[in-house]
């Protein structure tokens, strides 16, 4: 007698890996995320964290994502400002706000209050956060985490892990 177990179905929290061999592939991931958010604007009211070494491609993905959501002005890296505000013309009327934060230089919990970060993370909008680990447990649980790994000159392996139903919906829209 033989018994064959059915293949395991992917768990709702199974991470998705996106291999980007060139920056264009990272742009395509951003465009797919943007398309999912345009189709379901509620999914854009979310916290996305971006982890990985310097130069891994976090800011690059954010730029392509904000562009694909209709941001037309300059998108600069918020390393010194900590956070840059945007509005997303493609998402709703009035347009949904977005914030791009880079917490690389964040080092004191008091800055969380002083820089208005506590309020920011409590309000509606798309929050894109580089170096979330610098905030420790001040940062709420992300809907979707994108972890960038350098696999070669231009190759980046991006592992997407959802922690909420909203994050899982976004991740599943990419597959
Ligand atoms: P981080 O914000 O993670 O420090 P950046 O996005 O500022 O990194 O820099 C990534 C650099 O790597 C950019 O100069 C970008 O053009 C380059 N790059 C090369 N290949 C890729 C790729 N596949 N995805 C994203 N960026 C890439
Ligand atoms: Mg960066």
């Amino acid at each position: 007698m033989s018994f064959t177990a059915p293949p395991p179905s992917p768990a709702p929290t199974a991470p998705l890996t996106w291999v980007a061999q060139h920056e264009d592939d990272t742009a395509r991931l951003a465009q797919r995320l943007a398309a999912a958010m345009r189709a379901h604007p509620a999914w854009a009211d979310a916290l996305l964290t971006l982890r990985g070494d310097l130069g891994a491609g976090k800011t690059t993905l954010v730029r392509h994502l904000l562009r694909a959501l209709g941001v037309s002005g300059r998108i600069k890296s918020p390393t010194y400002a900590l956070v840059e505000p945007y509005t997303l013309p493609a998402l709703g009327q009035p347009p949904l706000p977005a914030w791009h934060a880079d917490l690389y230089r964040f080092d004191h919990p008091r800055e969380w209050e002083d820089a208005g970060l506590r309020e920011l993370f409590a309000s509606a909008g798309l929050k894109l956060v580089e170096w979330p680990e610098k905030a420790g447990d001040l940062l709420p649980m992300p809907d979707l985490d994108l972890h960038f790994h350098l696999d070669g000159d231009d190759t980046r392996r991006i592992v997407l892990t959802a922690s909420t139903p909203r994050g899982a919906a976004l991740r599943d829209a990419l597959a």
Side-chain angles (χ1 to χ4, degrees):
M1 193 179 101
S2 71
F3 177 74
T4 313
S9 57
T13 52
L16 179 83
T17 299
W18 183 280
V19 178
Q21 289 181 315
H22 302 283
E23 187 179 326
D24 285 356
D25 299 325
T26 299
R28 247 184 298 284
L29 171 60
Q31 286 150 11
R32 287 213 197 171
L33 278 169
M37 291 174 181
R38 283 169 180 262
H40 305 273
W43 294 355
D45 181 12
L47 170 58
L48 272 56
T49 51
L50 301 102
R51 294 185 295 134
D53 291 342
L54 282 172
K58 305 180 292 297
T59 301
T60 300
L61 181 126
V62 168
R63 285 201 177 103
H64 286 292
L65 178 59
L66 291 175
R67 284 270 177 265
L69 292 173
V71 173
S72 56
R74 182 157 176 247
I75 300 171
K76 49 185 177 177
S77 181
T79 308
Y80 296 94
L82 229 51
V83 53
E84 292 287 342
Y86 297 93
T87 51
L88 304 175
L91 295 178
Q93 196 49 251
L96 192 75
W99 291 277
H100 176 202
D102 182 335
L103 302 179
Y104 189 69
R105 289 192 162 69
F106 177 83
D107 60 9
H108 199 285
R110 230 190 60 198
E111 275 185 279
W112 200 251
E113 301 288 334
D114 293 352
L117 293 170
R118 195 171 61 87
E119 277 170 271
L120 186 161
F121 287 106
S123 47
L126 175 61
K127 301 109 188 169
L128 305 164
V129 181
E130 298 183 44
W131 296 99
E133 54 271 59
K134 299 274 181 175
D137 55 13
L138 290 167
L139 197 69
M141 159 129 69
D143 294 286
L144 188 65
D145 176 71
L146 294 85
H147 196 159
F148 291 69
H149 304 268
L150 272 136
D151 273 6
D153 283 352
D154 283 349
T155 303
R156 308 290 191 269
R157 190 164 34 90
I158 307 168
V159 180
L160 298 99
T161 306
S163 298
T164 67
R166 184 164 302 187
L170 272 171
R171 178 206 56 203
D172 292 346
L174 306 170

